[in-house]
Amino acid sequence: MEAFMTSDLTGLWPPSDPSKTHLPSSSQPFNQETLQQRLQQLIEGARESWTYAIFWQSSCDYSGASLLGWGDGYYKGEGDKGKAKIKTSSAVEQEHRKKVLRELNSLISGSTAPTDDSVDEEVTDTEWFFLVSMTQSFFVNGGGLPAQAFFSSSPIWVCGPERLMNSGCERARQGQVFGLQTMVCIPLANGVVEVGSTEVIVQNSDLMNKVRFLFNFNGMDIGSWPSSMQNPDQANNNPQISKGIQFENPSSTSLTENPKELNFSEYAYDHRNGNSHLLKPESGEILNFAESKRTEESNKKKRSPTSRGSNDEGMLSFTSVVKSSGGGGDSDHSDLEASVVKEVDSSRIVEPEKKPRKRGRKPANGREEPLNHVEAERQRREKLNQRFYALRAVVPNVSKMDKASLLGDAISYINELKSKLVNAESDKEDLQTQLESMKQEFDLKMSSHASKLIDMDIEVKVIGWDAMIRIQSSKKNHPAAKLMAALKELDLEVHHASMSVVNELMIQQATVKMGSRFYTQEQLKNILVAKVGDSR
Amino acid sequence: MEAFMTSDLTGLWPPSDPSKTHLPSSSQPFNQETLQQRLQQLIEGARESWTYAIFWQSSCDYSGASLLGWGDGYYKGEGDKGKAKIKTSSAVEQEHRKKVLRELNSLISGSTAPTDDSVDEEVTDTEWFFLVSMTQSFFVNGGGLPAQAFFSSSPIWVCGPERLMNSGCERARQGQVFGLQTMVCIPLANGVVEVGSTEVIVQNSDLMNKVRFLFNFNGMDIGSWPSSMQNPDQANNNPQISKGIQFENPSSTSLTENPKELNFSEYAYDHRNGNSHLLKPESGEILNFAESKRTEESNKKKRSPTSRGSNDEGMLSFTSVVKSSGGGGDSDHSDLEASVVKEVDSSRIVEPEKKPRKRGRKPANGREEPLNHVEAERQRREKLNQRFYALRAVVPNVSKMDKASLLGDAISYINELKSKLVNAESDKEDLQTQLESMKQEFDLKMSSHASKLIDMDIEVKVIGWDAMIRIQSSKKNHPAAKLMAALKELDLEVHHASMSVVNELMIQQATVKMGSRFYTQEQLKNILVAKVGDSR
DNA sequence: TGAGACACGTGACTC
DNA sequence: TGAGTCACGTGTCTC
């Protein structure tokens, strides 16, 4: 059964294959393989436990009326599978379901024998609801949650039994009957994603974002987003120079190389290829901390091809000789010579100080250690610069600033973010408490009417922070459990409690101590009437 | 009257002076001058318009029972002063109030003549409520909002007329009668701060934080906390100090500096003060990138007295020449030199190369230009390092790391903060919408009962996203205005509407189109019944 | 002209 | 020991 639902459905159910359906697709349908995968991803990874996800595909019938029909679906099942397979449906109903399934199966696969097994298990309510969904479709200007969502282009989130029943949607009503507590429809360009759950899940943007991510941006963006999110070195705000300079991620650097080992080879390479116009020194100079000058430089001085993975032939032979000799001679000049040699071809010979273009201190020639050291230091600087560059990318509003200012701005930006975060958190808390108190007030207001409806006698006496509670009610619906739950919820510590049943009457008595909040006698009574008297 | 209330009360009213009261103070009272200032600050700067603030001082009477009595108060008045002086109180009541005030005044000042003028104005309800508060006191284990807050050590926030009436507190009831809509009691160690407003102000942590800031931490912390907030150089994540971070109040930043201009001088100061045990070189070395070594160094090499505002003699002559030539007024370093100079006196003077301790390249002596350049470069490096240091302070979990890693961590930290912020914002939005829908549901549930109470006949027909509304009601209470307000609130676009009055009956008719949200017939009807039928 | 910014090579230091 | 980090003095470039 499980296997049938989660894997086979895609290709088997007629309407899921656009070529077989009678409905001409108005916009191109999602790729079927990935469609189900996305539905799966949508609810498998979620914090909340969604029971199923369905994609309703928009299309037009022959008359031209817009229609939403089964696109694909993924059934995950209830959160607590083992125990929660409540057999609310009768044996007759079960037989009916199995029969329908069997027929369906045979219709699809053409053979009845192997599929019989898979229909032997019980078919839960939600499974059934999911399955029958396949046969449904909605006129977008008619009723139905998916249609409403599609028509209005805005998501619909319905949770709680009453809301499902009162939504004015037959499908929602049915879902409620089959045990659903939450149904959400999110419209897309070419259809609607519906998810449902047997639990009450309050509205949150998590799901929306996920849908938007998984469905709306299925094109080019889907690859680039996650990586740019994760890697600080890649995150970047300036589109025009995102080229490869600051990228450290090996995965995306077919052209760039790990800066730890092989720096600037691309620049060097460019230069051997002549003065490439790809990177003009002028344009790069503002944005790069180090590279801009170097491009010019390397015309004069070929920068350290030694330890780099250069596969240029002429260079290579030369390099390897010098290097393998243990850097005995002025190997620091080796790369220098190399470039000179090249240039020799085109221009002139040995003069190492042709122009005073080179920056910083001239190399202290005639050493053996420094060569490596120099290179290492170079790399360190480079790494630092790349970090600077990356930092520049994540801190807003720091154009054409020097390092010190950049750091300063980064610091204040961090602080700004921090305080904003703190603010947002406290706002959140405010809202939360507001919500809590609202809920309580709700109980309070409800109670004035409810108390007349429920057959219950309640007495509350508050003395300081202590309270005495006496409830006399029908023993039905576990009033004791409800009372205790209420006490817990109200943060009332139980000092003493007793309950006894006489005939059909339960008498409860409790003395409690208030915890975090103070309630007046009336408040407490009203709340308890609401909570314990609640007939659910 | 005003002057009397806002300035004179402090010292005049008997109980506000602890020496005159019969109540022995259990904990030392706040300084009276600053006490009223704080109450004023508390509500004057607030976003919301609070009407008054009172500090209830905790004390014990002779029997040992704990008591809350008038500590001090600040009366600000209603938000819209000009028009809002509603004369709800009768002329008799006004006379009574004035008489009492006059008597009070004479009691205080001893003479009746000069004070008569000040009591000629009308005494508004809230003023009166504030004034009579002075005479009140509460047993902490008795009733009353302040006492409850103090006893439970948790704030109490009551808003809305019903809640005030139902709070079980006589004072709150009275406040409601006198026009208050919101009353808040926040407990402190030695009393309770109470604020009230004639407007409905929903609970938020802003006020709490402010109270905590102004009252609880009046000691040593008050100076250091705000600065750690503002200044990126000082901000810091360690849990024990994070408490104060969320305070943003700019009014308390006499110590902070603009990070853009004058950074980090305090760190420099610490270092030049010799090997202060506050920051040992060893421990500092993890934290400092440059300074730890420098402390030792500065004994050997006279560091950069040149371009700084040093007032040392030998150095000075040199310095002043260079400095006055425009070497950027780094006046923040001035204290720094002083300490260096100090060390010079104790050890030795000019010898720059005493030991080979110096790092990097030796100075190319015998030049005139480079010397200045060297100094400038030194300062640049120093500035950079201080920025690094500051950054380090702001980014958590970066102990003993090198600059590159620090930058990397900073970057990912920024990204982390960013995403957290985004999350928090969306959570906020979720809660907001939840709250909204809750409010609507509230209306919904209320309506089922309310509809029977209000004399009104309503008919709603929904067709697709259009709806037809017909309301027949008393012409009283501007039902048309209420309907239109409701339509606006529900985002229902009016296509057509008409209203006509027959005798005492108003008949309204409207056809509307639903906007962002879909309502079923029942929903819409219920909501409209609630909103239009509301007798307010 | 000159102050500021940057990168460089180098010596010192650390683990 | 040697790889890594840092600070220094310097050369160069740019407004």
Side-chain angles (χ1 to χ4, degrees):
Chain A
M1 182 63 210
E2 293 273 323
F4 172 70
M5 301 193 69
T6 56
S7 64
D8 293 342
L9 276 175
T10 311
L12 295 178
W13 195 250
S16 67
D17 185 347
S19 67
K20 285 185 191 166
T21 178
H22 67 288
L23 303 170
S25 267
S26 61
S27 47
Q28 86 269 29
F30 288 117
N31 177 316
Q32 282 295 338
E33 292 94 83
T34 75
L35 177 49
Q36 196 180 73
Q37 280 170 18
R38 284 181 221 169
L39 291 172
Q40 179 171 0
Q41 278 174 40
L42 181 62
I43 60 176
E44 281 291 358
R47 284 196 295 250
E48 301 91 3
S49 91
W50 297 103
T51 308
Y52 70 89
I54 290 174
F55 176 68
W56 300 102
Q57 169 93 42
S58 134
S59 34
C60 295
D61 65 4
Y62 291 122
S63 74
S66 199
L67 206 70
L68 284 174
W70 179 267
D72 205 341
Y74 173 75
Y75 180 85
K76 173 167 164 256
E78 276 99 312
D80 36 3
K81 283 209 162 172
K83 57 170 178 153
K85 285 205 173 185
I86 322 130
K87 289 170 192 164
T88 50
S89 50
S90 66
V92 181
E93 172 68 13
Q94 276 295 334
E95 248 342 286
H96 168 240
R97 288 181 186 180
K98 286 179 190 170
K99 180 164 153 274
V100 175
L101 268 190
R102 241 177 262 120
E103 281 167 11
L104 273 180
N105 237 351
S106 68
L107 204 78
I108 294 158
S109 62
S111 78
T112 52
T115 50
D116 273 349
D117 301 338
S118 62
V119 191
D120 272 355
E121 299 174 26
E122 292 271 288
V123 182
T124 66
D125 285 355
T126 52
E127 275 172 328
W128 184 247
F129 177 73
F130 179 79
L131 286 169
V132 297
S133 300
M134 297 181 201
T135 64
Q136 302 196 337
S137 56
F138 311 88
F139 283 98
V140 300
N141 43 5
L145 248 42
Q148 277 175 26
F150 191 69
F151 188 60
S152 67
S153 289
S154 59
I156 296 181
W157 192 298
V158 187
C159 71
E162 325 87 42
R163 288 180 152 240
L164 282 169
M165 292 309 270
N166 293 326
S167 67
C169 165
E170 184 50 42
R171 176 168 177 75
R173 258 191 288 270
Q174 209 173 1
Q176 198 274 329
V177 170
F178 283 127
L180 292 181
Q181 301 239 52
T182 305
M183 286 176 78
V184 179
C185 287
I186 301 170
L188 302 179
N190 55 347
V192 171
V193 171
E194 175 192 315
V195 297
S197 172
T198 54
E199 300 176 7
V200 173
I201 299 175
V202 296
Q203 180 160 1
N204 64 76
S205 47
D206 220 48
L207 183 73
M208 312 285 191
N209 289 338
K210 236 169 165 183
V211 168
R212 213 172 297 144
F213 178 70
L214 284 168
F215 290 87
N216 264 9
F217 309 121
N218 57 320
M220 51 167 193
D221 286 332
I222 210 158
S224 60
W225 275 25
S227 62
S228 74
M229 288 297 294
Q230 307 274 0
N231 195 332
D233 300 30
Q234 287 191 0
N236 178 324
N237 293 340
N238 283 355
Q240 71 275 25
I241 23 111
S242 61
K243 303 287 284 185
I245 299 171
Q246 79 282 19
F247 286 73
E248 276 200 341
N249 186 347
S251 70
S252 61
T253 56
S254 58
L255 284 179
T256 61
E257 297 159 355
N258 188 339
K260 282 242 165 82
E261 323 245 331
L262 321 158
N263 277 347
F264 314 117
S265 59
E266 69 277 24
Y267 294 104
Y269 185 74
D270 281 351
H271 280 289
R272 294 202 199 96
N273 276 1
N275 305 326
S276 147
H277 52 280
L278 272 168
L279 260 177
K280 289 185 195 146
E282 287 76 25
S283 70
E285 128 189 298
I286 300 171
L287 300 159
N288 296 341
F289 289 113
E291 285 69 26
S292 59
K293 314 289 165 57
R294 201 168 294 160
T295 44
E296 316 164 25
E297 249 174 74
S298 32
N299 283 332
K300 312 302 152 212
K301 181 197 160 201
K302 191 61 38 56
R303 300 198 67 260
S304 61
T306 48
S307 64
R308 297 165 188 168
S310 165
N311 40 10
D312 190 30
E313 16 49 72
M315 279 309 121
L316 191 58
S317 61
F318 184 83
T319 306
S320 55
V321 171
V322 179
K323 192 57 186 170
S324 62
S325 71
D330 24 2
S331 48
D332 188 29
H333 273 305
S334 62
D335 41 6
L336 207 112
E337 261 86 64
S339 71
V340 171
V341 169
K342 265 262 171 148
E343 287 183 1
V344 165
D345 302 336
S346 59
S347 63
R348 251 335 300 145
I349 336 176
V350 197
E351 43 200 356
E353 261 71 34
K354 196 161 68 178
K355 283 175 192 168
R357 274 295 190 82
K358 203 191 134 304
R359 256 197 182 173
R361 158 156 298 266
K362 315 286 191 296
N365 305 324
R367 215 75 112 273
E368 73 292 22
E369 260 286 280
L371 193 143
N372 233 340
H373 183 40
V374 164
E375 186 62 19
E377 176 64 11
R378 248 201 287 264
Q379 284 171 4
R380 179 181 152 270
R381 271 195 304 264
E382 173 64 16
K383 197 165 88 180
L384 255 178
N385 276 326
Q386 300 205 344
R387 291 283 151 85
F388 267 109
Y389 191 73
L391 182 63
R392 218 196 154 288
V394 295
V395 178
N397 307 325
V398 269
S399 312
K400 63 184 180 41
M401 304 270 260
D402 57 300
K403 284 179 179 175
S405 315
L406 167 59
L407 284 181
D409 284 353
I411 293 163
S412 36
Y413 182 54
I414 287 179
N415 285 329
E416 186 190 324
L417 283 180
K418 269 185 185 169
S419 71
K420 270 190 189 167
L421 191 64
V422 170
N423 262 19
E425 294 287 353
S426 80
D427 281 1
K428 257 177 66 181
E429 241 172 66
D430 287 350
L431 284 172
Q432 197 81 45
T433 55
Q434 225 176 311
L435 207 67
E436 287 302 317
S437 67
M438 191 123 182
K439 277 180 188 163
Q440 235 162 40
E441 190 143 3
F442 203 79
D443 282 338
L444 219 86
K445 294 239 176 183
M446 284 297 91
S447 62
S448 58
H449 306 281
S451 58
K452 279 133 205 161
L453 301 172
I454 306 294
D455 182 30
M456 181 168 78
D457 184 24
I458 185 163
E459 193 181 313
V460 174
K461 179 116 189 96
V462 170
I463 303 143
W465 285 71
D466 292 313
M468 199 274 293
I469 299 165
R470 208 188 49 74
I471 296 178
Q472 197 167 324
S473 66
S474 154
K475 73 172 185 183
K476 284 264 181 77
N477 297 111
H478 295 277
K482 281 190 283 191
L483 174 61
M484 290 304 140
L487 298 184
K488 179 187 168 204
E489 199 176 321
L490 298 172
D491 194 18
L492 298 173
E493 197 187 320
V494 178
H495 276 180
H496 167 81
S498 74
M499 45 210 71
S500 49
V501 174
V502 182
N503 295 334
E504 286 301 302
L505 213 63
M506 172 175 267
I507 296 168
Q508 298 186 75
Q509 214 152 354
T511 61
V512 299
K513 188 170 182 55
M514 298 182 208
S516 57
R517 222 195 111 162
F518 182 84
Y519 303 91
T520 66
Q521 206 155 290
E522 293 82 12
Q523 279 179 327
L524 196 51
K525 181 178 173 185
N526 288 338
I527 294 172
L528 287 177
V529 164
K531 287 194 182 296
V532 182
D534 188 352
S535 57
R536 270 180 304 175
Chain B
M1 182 63 212
E2 292 274 321
F4 173 70
M5 299 192 70
T6 56
S7 63
D8 294 341
L9 276 174
T10 312
L12 295 178
W13 194 250
S16 67
D17 185 347
S19 67
K20 284 186 189 164
T21 176
H22 67 288
L23 303 168
S25 268
S26 63
S27 48
Q28 86 271 28
F30 288 116
N31 177 316
Q32 283 294 340
E33 291 96 81
T34 76
L35 177 47
Q36 195 180 73
Q37 280 169 21
R38 283 182 220 168
L39 291 172
Q40 179 171 359
Q41 278 174 42
L42 180 62
I43 60 175
E44 281 290 358
R47 285 195 295 250
E48 302 91 2
S49 89
W50 296 103
T51 308
Y52 69 89
I54 291 172
F55 176 68
W56 299 104
Q57 169 94 42
S58 133
S59 35
C60 294
D61 66 2
Y62 291 122
S63 73
S66 199
L67 207 67
L68 284 174
W70 179 268
D72 205 340
Y74 172 76
Y75 181 83
K76 172 165 162 260
E78 276 100 312
D80 35 4
K81 283 209 162 170
K83 56 171 180 152
K85 283 204 171 183
I86 325 133
K87 288 170 191 161
T88 50
S89 48
S90 65
V92 180
E93 172 68 12
Q94 276 296 335
E95 244 347 282
H96 169 240
R97 289 182 186 177
K98 286 181 189 170
K99 178 164 156 273
V100 174
L101 270 190
R102 242 178 261 121
E103 279 169 11
L104 273 180
N105 240 350
S106 68
L107 205 77
I108 295 158
S109 60
S111 78
T112 51
T115 51
D116 272 346
D117 300 339
S118 61
V119 191
D120 271 355
E121 299 175 26
E122 292 272 287
V123 183
T124 67
D125 284 357
T126 51
E127 275 173 327
W128 183 248
F129 177 72
F130 177 80
L131 285 170
V132 297
S133 300
M134 298 181 198
T135 63
Q136 303 196 336
S137 58
F138 311 87
F139 283 98
V140 302
N141 44 4
L145 249 43
Q148 277 175 25
F150 191 70
F151 189 59
S152 67
S153 289
S154 59
I156 295 182
W157 193 297
V158 187
C159 71
E162 325 85 42
R163 288 179 156 241
L164 282 169
M165 290 310 270
N166 293 326
S167 67
C169 164
E170 184 51 42
R171 174 169 178 76
R173 256 191 289 273
Q174 208 172 1
Q176 199 274 328
V177 169
F178 282 127
L180 292 179
Q181 301 241 50
T182 306
M183 285 177 79
V184 179
C185 288
I186 302 170
L188 303 180
N190 55 348
V192 171
V193 171
E194 174 192 317
V195 296
S197 172
T198 53
E199 299 175 10
V200 173
I201 299 175
V202 296
Q203 181 160 2
N204 65 76
S205 46
D206 218 49
L207 183 74
M208 312 286 191
N209 286 338
K210 236 168 165 185
V211 168
R212 213 173 297 142
F213 177 70
L214 284 168
F215 290 87
N216 262 10
F217 309 120
N218 57 320
M220 51 167 195
D221 287 331
I222 210 159
S224 59
W225 276 28
S227 62
S228 77
M229 261 310 287
Q230 302 277 1
N231 198 332
D233 315 348
Q234 291 190 357
N236 166 341
N237 290 348
N238 293 347
Q240 67 271 25
I241 5 167
S242 67
K243 292 273 178 125
I245 291 177
Q246 69 262 33
F247 292 94
E248 275 202 339
N249 191 348
S251 67
S252 55
T253 56
S254 57
L255 287 177
T256 62
E257 301 161 348
N258 185 347
K260 281 247 165 76
E261 320 252 327
L262 318 161
N263 276 347
F264 321 119
S265 56
E266 66 279 24
Y267 291 105
Y269 185 74
D270 281 352
H271 280 288
R272 298 296 147 49
N273 274 0
N275 307 326
S276 137
H277 52 281
L278 276 167
L279 263 175
K280 288 182 196 147
E282 288 76 27
S283 68
E285 136 186 290
I286 301 170
L287 300 161
N288 295 343
F289 289 107
E291 284 67 25
S292 60
K293 315 284 168 59
R294 201 166 291 161
T295 43
E296 315 163 26
E297 245 175 82
S298 42
N299 286 332
K300 313 301 153 213
K301 187 199 154 201
K302 195 67 38 55
R303 294 207 68 259
S304 64
T306 48
S307 69
R308 295 165 186 168
S310 164
N311 39 11
D312 186 39
E313 14 49 67
M315 280 305 129
L316 189 59
S317 59
F318 187 79
T319 306
S320 55
V321 172
V322 182
K323 186 58 183 171
S324 61
S325 68
D330 277 38
S331 52
D332 54 323
H333 281 293
S334 55
D335 45 357
L336 205 125
E337 271 70 65
S339 63
V340 173
V341 170
K342 276 242 172 149
E343 289 182 4
V344 168
D345 298 336
S346 61
S347 62
R348 242 350 284 150
I349 332 176
V350 195
E351 42 200 358
E353 259 73 32
K354 198 159 74 176
K355 283 174 192 169
R357 277 292 192 83
K358 206 192 130 301
R359 257 196 183 173
R361 165 157 291 268
K362 313 289 191 293
N365 302 327
R367 214 80 110 279
E368 74 293 21
E369 258 286 281
L371 205 144
N372 215 340
H373 183 42
V374 164
E375 184 58 21
E377 175 66 10
R378 246 202 289 262
Q379 285 178 358
R380 180 182 152 270
R381 272 197 303 264
E382 166 111 350
K383 200 163 90 179
L384 254 179
N385 276 325
Q386 299 201 346
R387 291 282 152 88
F388 268 109
Y389 185 73
L391 182 62
R392 221 201 151 285
V394 165
V395 178
N397 307 326
V398 270
S399 312
K400 65 183 179 39
M401 305 267 259
D402 57 297
K403 283 179 179 174
S405 318
L406 167 58
L407 284 181
D409 285 351
I411 292 164
S412 39
Y413 182 55
I414 286 179
N415 285 330
E416 185 191 323
L417 281 180
K418 270 185 185 169
S419 70
K420 267 191 192 166
L421 191 62
V422 171
N423 262 20
E425 293 288 351
S426 79
D427 281 1
K428 255 177 67 181
E429 240 171 69
D430 289 348
L431 285 172
Q432 197 81 45
T433 57
Q434 225 176 308
L435 207 67
E436 285 303 316
S437 67
M438 190 122 182
K439 278 181 188 162
Q440 236 164 37
E441 190 143 5
F442 201 80
D443 281 338
L444 220 87
K445 296 240 176 184
M446 282 297 93
S447 61
S448 59
H449 305 283
S451 60
K452 278 134 206 161
L453 301 174
I454 305 293
D455 181 30
M456 180 166 78
D457 184 24
I458 185 164
E459 192 181 313
V460 173
K461 179 113 188 98
V462 170
I463 303 143
W465 285 71
D466 291 313
M468 200 275 294
I469 299 164
R470 210 189 50 75
I471 296 177
Q472 198 168 325
S473 65
S474 155
K475 72 172 187 185
K476 283 266 180 76
N477 296 112
H478 296 276
K482 280 189 283 190
L483 174 60
M484 292 303 139
L487 297 184
K488 179 187 168 203
E489 199 175 323
L490 297 172
D491 194 17
L492 298 173
E493 195 188 321
V494 178
H495 276 179
H496 168 81
S498 73
M499 45 211 70
S500 49
V501 176
V502 183
N503 293 336
E504 286 301 304
L505 212 64
M506 173 176 267
I507 297 169
Q508 299 187 75
Q509 213 153 355
T511 61
V512 298
K513 187 170 182 54
M514 297 181 206
S516 57
R517 222 194 111 166
F518 183 85
Y519 302 92
T520 67
Q521 205 154 290
E522 293 81 12
Q523 280 178 323
L524 196 52
K525 182 178 172 184
N526 287 339
I527 294 172
L528 286 177
V529 164
K531 288 195 183 295
V532 182
D534 188 350
S535 57
R536 266 182 303 172

